Amino acid sequence: VHNTYWPLTGAHTTVTCAECHIGGNYNNTPTNCNGCHNSDFTTATNPNHVALGLSTDCVSCHTTNPNWMHATFAVQNTYNPLLVAHANLSCNECHVGGNYNNTPTTCYACHTSDYNNTNNPDHEAANFPTDCATCHSQTTWTPATWDHDAMYFPIYSGTHEGKWDNCNECHTTPNNYSIYNCLICHAQGQTNNDHSGVSGYQYQSTACLACHPDGSN
């Protein structure tokens, strides 16, 4: 009738009575996992259970299968939420070689090659932020959001609103969005007249941005 009190399954089917009932004492024997496995908990290093503050309730992650495997990790989202496209990843795709210590928690750490190899637009050449969540969601890379006004220059508001149709009207070098040209729309004659008497005036795109970062005239 042992299983009436404590089911012996998996790796527990081969333990001797004395391994749990120390010294043959059958009174006050622990009936929770940690009662027998506290040393396994405190000495676990991959991952470090104590450092992560994991629960001492072993069954929250483990079964009674031998060698503690396979384990689940129901509290993953407490550390790094795996949503939508990430929800079906295998552990080894992020925890390379089965190492659960010091795994990066930033998007870029795993998606560096996506960032470096993207050429429409060229993220690296344009010096885009490496915080993928700035523009992308976990649902899919595309469509992505892009807050040009807040991050770079107001083109959806202010004096430039409705004055353009395509990105290449200002970014005239294909796939290099760090290069921009204000002079296509702002002809030199009129611009020179508008800046008559302005100290340090130069008819250059970089000068335009330096003096008019908010897009004002």
Side-chain angles (χ1 to χ4, degrees):
V1 293
H2 193 289
N3 285 354
T4 303
Y5 301 95
W6 181 254
L8 297 179
T9 60
H12 290 155
T13 60
T14 59
V15 298
T16 64
C17 300
E19 289 182 74
C20 296
H21 303 287
I22 308 298
N25 185 354
Y26 290 82
N27 296 309
N28 302 318
T29 306
T31 56
N32 60 68
C33 306
N34 191 250
C36 289
H37 292 288
N38 185 60
S39 63
D40 295 302
F41 178 90
T42 57
T43 59
T45 58
N46 187 29
N48 188 312
H49 290 31
V50 175
L52 287 176
L54 299 182
S55 170
T56 56
D57 182 13
C58 305
V59 296
S60 63
C61 295
H62 300 278
T63 68
T64 58
N65 288 337
N67 300 317
W68 300 102
M69 298 300 288
H70 295 283
T72 59
F73 197 56
V75 293
Q76 167 69 55
N77 287 353
T78 304
Y79 300 91
N80 192 42
L82 298 180
L83 309 174
V84 195
H86 290 148
N88 295 321
L89 293 175
S90 68
C91 300
N92 284 333
E93 289 183 71
C94 296
H95 303 286
V96 179
N99 186 349
Y100 291 86
N101 295 307
N102 302 318
T103 305
T105 57
T106 65
C107 308
Y108 181 70
C110 288
H111 292 285
T112 303
S113 62
D114 294 302
Y115 178 94
N116 291 339
N117 295 324
T118 299
N119 55 27
N120 186 29
D122 190 320
H123 288 28
E124 191 172 24
N127 196 29
F128 281 6
T130 55
D131 180 7
C132 305
T134 302
C135 300
H136 302 277
S137 72
Q138 290 195 46
T139 303
T140 179
W141 282 112
T142 56
T145 58
W146 177 240
D147 193 346
H148 196 290
D149 286 28
M151 296 172 64
Y152 292 96
F153 184 79
I155 58 174
Y156 296 101
S157 60
T159 58
H160 290 82
E161 182 181 6
K163 301 297 184 180
W164 60 278
D165 293 311
N166 298 300
C167 300
N168 60 16
E169 292 180 48
C170 296
H171 298 286
T172 54
T173 301
N175 295 326
N176 190 342
Y177 287 77
S178 64
I179 299 175
Y180 54 91
N181 191 336
C182 303
L183 312 181
I184 294 174
C185 294
H186 299 281
Q188 185 168 12
Q190 183 62 52
T191 303
N192 288 348
N193 290 335
D194 292 339
H195 292 80
S196 177
V198 176
S199 177
Y201 162 71
Q202 293 178 302
Y203 183 64
Q204 295 177 352
S205 295
T206 53
C208 294
L209 182 61
C211 290
H212 306 279
D214 60 354
S216 60
N217 292 327

